[in-house]
Amino acid sequence: MSTELKLIKKEELISSFKEFESRGWIENTTRKTNDGAHGNLLEDLLNIPENNLPIPNAAEWELKCHKVGSSSRVTLFHTEPSPRAAKIVPQFLLPKYGWPHQKAGTKYPEDEKSFRVTLKANSYQRGFYLYINEEDNKVCIGFDSSKVLDSDASWLKTVKQRVGHLNNLDVVPYWNLDEIYAKTRTKLLNCFFVLAEEKRENQKQYFHYFKAYMLKNFSIKKFKDSLEAGYIVFEFDARSGHNHGTKCRITEELVPSLYEESKIVLDKPRLRNN
């Protein structure tokens, strides 16, 4: 039996955020084991069955919630690098450039490899980095073996054995900026971004929703500027047996900087000092 979806006006949504904040700590009684419990609870409080906000407006609105103090960045979107038909991560990066998984031989087979890196445009990790190819309008992955740390020298030797050389990548993985723009216009064009803090007492979990932004018109130019400055990263989390997916992420405080319009609609003190 389906439930009729009630449309929410933006003013009503903002009013709801303020009302939730006034409650202080709200106990999480649903989906407790989910890492995104703060976002799930907020959706439940709003009676939103899916992440697209039911706002009576021609433009799509997204609801994003982030837990302050979390070591993880905010995920903007999930995306695998092109050429996708080549299955770049499992069929190229892992076998050619992967390294032994820390649990190889225990939890996983002896030959289990890992390719878990956070790539930026202004720094290197195991020689990998990001750059924008303006001519082709792409975000590309580069490799510079001279930037590999001495501590990874033994791994680099295995790369030369597997690949046959230590030059740049034979196949350059990339993301087309037009596709990124299309993806962000579908999911991130307009967004309500809510911050929550967490506490745990007597084996119970609580959240306090204390700040919210109304963000309009995601800017691909600001996205490119943030990527080139090293603020936006692409995170890979793959092993031989499973690819957990590639994510485009940014730190929480910089999310509003990606939009043409940013307005704080809720701003209250945190209840915790740390």
Side-chain angles (χ1 to χ4, degrees):
M1 181 178 178
S2 62
T3 302
E4 184 178 352
L5 188 63
K6 178 184 176 182
L7 295 179
I8 307 173
K9 294 181 179 179
K10 291 191 284 290
E11 295 77 14
E12 294 174 341
L13 189 67
I14 294 168
S15 179
S16 294
F17 293 152
K18 293 178 179 178
E19 192 272 323
F20 300 155
E21 190 285 325
S22 70
R23 297 189 201 178
W25 294 110
I26 301 175
E27 183 183 352
N28 176 31
T29 58
T30 61
R31 295 182 274 185
K32 295 182 180 180
T33 59
N34 193 309
D35 289 338
H38 50 288
N40 292 334
L41 176 59
L42 182 59
E43 289 181 351
D44 291 343
L45 290 169
L46 292 166
N47 293 315
I48 298 174
E50 295 182 2
N51 212 11
N52 279 343
L53 291 171
I55 292 176
N57 191 313
E60 289 290 335
W61 286 80
E62 175 85 353
L63 176 65
K64 278 195 171 291
C65 186
H66 186 71
K67 184 175 66 176
V68 296
S70 170
S71 60
S72 63
R73 298 174 174 89
V74 176
T75 300
L76 297 175
F77 52 84
H78 296 69
T79 180
E80 293 304 304
S82 295
R84 293 191 180 91
K87 297 183 179 179
I88 287 292
V89 176
Q91 295 189 8
F92 177 66
L93 292 175
L94 257 171
K96 298 291 187 181
Y97 293 89
W99 46 88
H101 194 283
Q102 61 180 357
K103 295 184 179 179
T106 54
K107 183 177 181 180
Y108 301 120
E110 290 279 354
D111 60 351
E112 189 82 0
K113 289 184 174 60
S114 173
F115 190 81
R116 190 174 189 179
V117 290
T118 298
L119 302 187
K120 301 180 180 181
N122 66 344
S123 64
Y124 299 85
Q125 188 170 359
R126 289 186 184 253
F128 292 98
Y129 63 99
L130 298 176
Y131 66 95
I132 292 181
N133 181 330
E134 294 286 358
E135 183 177 354
D136 294 332
N137 202 36
K138 296 175 179 178
V139 178
C140 300
I141 297 177
F143 178 71
D144 184 344
S145 61
S146 71
K147 303 296 183 181
V148 175
L149 300 177
D150 291 342
S151 57
D152 292 319
S154 59
W155 161 77
L156 190 61
K157 289 180 180 179
T158 70
V159 170
K160 187 172 183 179
Q161 293 170 353
R162 285 178 280 168
V163 179
H165 62 79
L166 292 177
N167 302 325
N168 200 359
L169 306 174
D170 291 333
V171 179
V172 177
Y174 70 90
W175 296 268
N176 187 286
L177 279 165
D178 288 336
E179 290 184 8
I180 289 177
Y181 191 39
K183 183 184 289 286
T184 55
R185 285 190 67 84
T186 300
K187 290 292 291 179
L188 294 170
L189 178 61
N190 301 306
C191 176
F192 278 95
F193 182 50
V194 181
L195 299 182
E197 57 180 336
E198 177 194 33
K199 77 168 182 177
R200 294 176 183 267
E201 286 184 356
N202 301 320
Q203 298 183 328
K204 293 181 179 181
Q205 183 183 45
Y206 300 85
F207 294 108
H208 171 229
Y209 301 95
F210 65 94
K211 193 167 187 176
Y213 296 85
M214 183 169 66
L215 307 173
K216 294 183 180 180
N217 297 320
F218 186 95
S219 169
I220 195 66
K221 180 184 183 304
K222 292 186 176 185
F223 175 90
K224 288 173 63 177
D225 291 345
S226 293
L227 188 142
E228 290 184 311
Y231 301 139
I232 286 176
V233 305
F234 281 78
E235 293 185 1
F236 290 79
D237 185 6
R239 58 178 176 82
S240 300
H242 184 68
N243 180 10
H244 292 277
T246 306
K247 303 173 183 67
C248 178
R249 288 179 162 169
I250 191 170
T251 54
E252 112 203 358
E253 65 271 15
L254 294 176
V255 171
S257 70
L258 298 176
Y259 288 80
E260 297 290 355
E261 298 180 46
S262 172
K263 180 180 179 181
I264 298 175
V265 296
L266 172 68
D267 191 9
K268 295 293 184 179
R270 294 175 60 176
L271 299 180
R272 298 189 65 171
N273 295 323
N274 58 345

